[in-house]
Amino acid sequence: MKKIIAGALCAALFASLFSGISYAQNKQVWSKAKAEFEKDKDTQTTQTLLDIIKKVDEAVYPEKFEDAAKLLVDLIQTQFDDKGNLRTEQSVLDAAIAALSKTGGEKTQALLLKEAKNKKTIEFARACIIEAMGAMPNEKILEFLKETISPKTQPVLRISALKAAGSAGPPEDFIDVLIETLKAEEWQARLAAINSLGKSSGDKATAGLINAFKDENGRLRENYREALKKLTGVDEGLNGKEWAKWWEEKNKPTGEKKDDSNNFAKTQIDEPTYFDEPILSKSIVFIIDVSGSMLDPSGVVPKTTESGEAPEIPIPRDATPEQKKKLESLKETNDKLDPGSKINAVKKELANTILFLSEDTYFAIVFYSTTPFEWKKNLVKANAVNKIEAVENVTGQNADGATNIFDSLLMAFDMLPETKANPKDDKKKDDKKKGDTTVKTQDLLGADTIYLLTDGIPNRGGITTGQGITAEISKMNLVRKIKIFTIGVGTDVDGGFLSDLAAKNGGKYIKVGQ
């Protein structure tokens, strides 16, 4: 452990001596950065804060590590109000955590440990400090991180501890804890454990990931795949069972025949699509614009299949013969729908996507014009009854009114799977105010993917600017990590806003129509 600390000190001193900035100059830059922060620190702009952090990061030297850590901790804490709402952008926190991670020394470690344990400090600020601590582990910090990974810990702190555990590759005695976390109810905790295990080494981590991957059928398949690619140097795709086959083949006892060519038959997974984008998630909210402008021409060219025949829809196992006929009839009717108007193009696409969802998927639909309204209050299973009801509801929608994007996203964030929903929580949802970033375990059980579709520009709701919506939703999504895909229909959309919202929330912007 002393070697780690000494290494950090030497690296910082080396950077100071050979970066072209003299020791004296570093002192001046450091002093200036500190003075800039102390001046009106509660009202500084995002860019000013980023500039201060950059100066601290580049100019700090070993004897100022503790002072730098105090400044950065103070900076992080001032970014949250007394209710835990983020005042600035995520980029400021990211930069502060990165700079804090580069400090070191026993006094700094003791300072961060004290702040991380301080229950009077805003939970999100503590989480940022915990995340930075992963880069400077000592015995006490490692013990604290292991305790914080416990399921009994508040989810925000637990997830940060899971991230910290993988900062420099998790210690060997953390591997078992991380593997156990792959069974966590909150998918965000499982995601953090996957990413930390991907930074480790050895067969134990690989075997643990593969064993859990076999049972994963949703969005986290992408993360399992990337983690295992880093650990093994091979790529067996998005099917966990194929990774299990490869691992079994690789670990056959000496003397048994091995298929080193890795050409054994592989099972392909047919994913449903939405505007040609494969859907990996099993927990989805579709947000659909039904404002008046959706009656305008779409510019969408009808799809044709290579064989000339439409693929058959998967029939849920619970479907009665009558429901099977109804699903097939809905598919046939939908295939004939003319996508000439925007509303018809969206109805046709969404109805087709719903019909092709696997029955282990949970989904919800939020429609919006001047105000948002949901098809059902919660995410429901894609069984025969719900698919029939959903398609009939979608195809029966009319287009009228304005464009309320922000309130629609809030409604989607509040939705839970029907198996997790509690009617007593409804009033809490209604009372929730814009920008409230307080996260409880229940909040982490909702959708992991949102598809937001619009043909226009926001002009109703709690926030009506694209920049404001992106900033507020990104704050709310700090820990939830919901992927937000955006779909712009036609030529009147704000492509910059939709691209930015998707990019800052792990999704993708899809342009539809001419």
Side-chain angles (χ1 to χ4, degrees), residues 147-220:
E147 290 174 358
T148 309
I149 288 173
S150 164
K152 297 179 181 179
T153 304
Q154 286 293 330
V156 173
L157 303 180
R158 183 188 186 197
I159 290 167
S160 289
L162 287 164
K163 289 180 181 178
S167 290
E172 183 64 29
D173 58 346
F174 269 65
I175 300 298
D176 288 334
V177 179
L178 292 172
I179 290 173
E180 186 63 25
T181 305
L182 298 177
K183 302 174 186 177
E185 183 178 25
E186 307 93 342
W187 62 266
Q188 294 89 344
R190 301 200 304 272
L191 172 60
I194 292 166
N195 291 339
S196 285
L197 285 167
K199 296 174 183 178
S200 65
S201 60
D203 286 352
K204 182 186 283 189
T206 303
L209 282 167
I210 289 175
N211 189 53
F213 193 0
K214 289 187 299 183
D215 300 321
E216 176 62 48
N217 58 7
R219 171 190 138 182
L220 296 187

Side-chain angles (χ1 to χ4, degrees), residues 292-484:
S293 57
M294 289 291 287
L295 293 171
D296 295 341
S298 68
V300 173
V301 178
K303 293 180 182 179
T304 57
T305 57
E306 293 182 5
S307 63
E309 296 182 3
E312 293 185 3
I313 59 173
I315 302 298
R317 289 172 293 179
D318 70 337
T320 65
E322 291 75 16
Q323 290 169 339
K324 180 177 183 293
K325 287 181 181 179
K326 181 65 175 177
L327 287 165
E328 291 170 342
S329 173
L330 288 171
K331 176 68 167 66
E332 184 177 351
T333 301
N334 192 60
D335 287 344
K336 295 176 182 177
L337 182 64
D338 181 5
S341 66
K342 294 175 184 175
I343 190 68
N344 274 4
V346 173
K347 286 179 179 180
K348 186 181 181 78
E349 183 68 23
L350 180 55
N352 189 68
T353 297
I354 291 169
L355 289 169
F356 276 91
L357 291 176
S358 61
E359 60 187 290
D360 58 348
T361 301
Y362 281 79
F363 73 104
I365 310 169
V366 173
F367 300 99
Y368 70 94
S369 53
T370 305
T371 57
F373 56 98
E374 69 271 81
W375 163 55
K376 290 183 182 290
K377 282 189 173 292
N378 303 305
L379 284 81
V380 298
K381 194 172 184 179
N383 57 27
V385 171
N386 288 329
K387 281 189 175 187
I388 291 169
E389 287 185 14
V391 171
E392 290 180 337
N393 189 276
V394 167
T395 55
Q397 292 297 320
N398 296 314
D400 186 32
T403 307
N404 188 337
I405 291 176
F406 180 70
D407 293 352
S408 307
L409 283 163
L410 291 187
M411 182 175 283
F413 266 63
D414 277 340
M415 288 178 151
L416 293 170
E418 57 186 349
T419 56
K420 305 291 183 183
N422 182 351
K424 293 181 180 179
D425 291 332
D426 286 346
K427 188 176 187 304
K428 294 178 184 177
K429 290 181 182 180
D430 294 338
D431 292 343
K432 199 164 190 177
K433 294 181 179 180
K434 167 177 71 71
D436 182 4
T437 57
T438 304
V439 176
K440 306 211 178 284
T441 299
Q442 193 81 342
D443 295 319
L444 303 182
L445 304 180
D448 63 29
T449 304
I450 290 174
Y451 291 90
L452 167 69
L453 181 145
T454 187
D455 79 322
I457 296 172
N459 53 30
R460 295 291 190 279
I463 301 177
T464 56
T465 66
Q467 184 177 7
I469 291 171
T470 299
E472 207 65 45
I473 293 300
S474 298
K475 291 174 188 177
M476 291 180 62
N477 208 18
L478 278 174
V479 176
R480 301 182 195 213
K481 301 299 180 186
I482 300 170
K483 279 193 175 183
I484 301 178

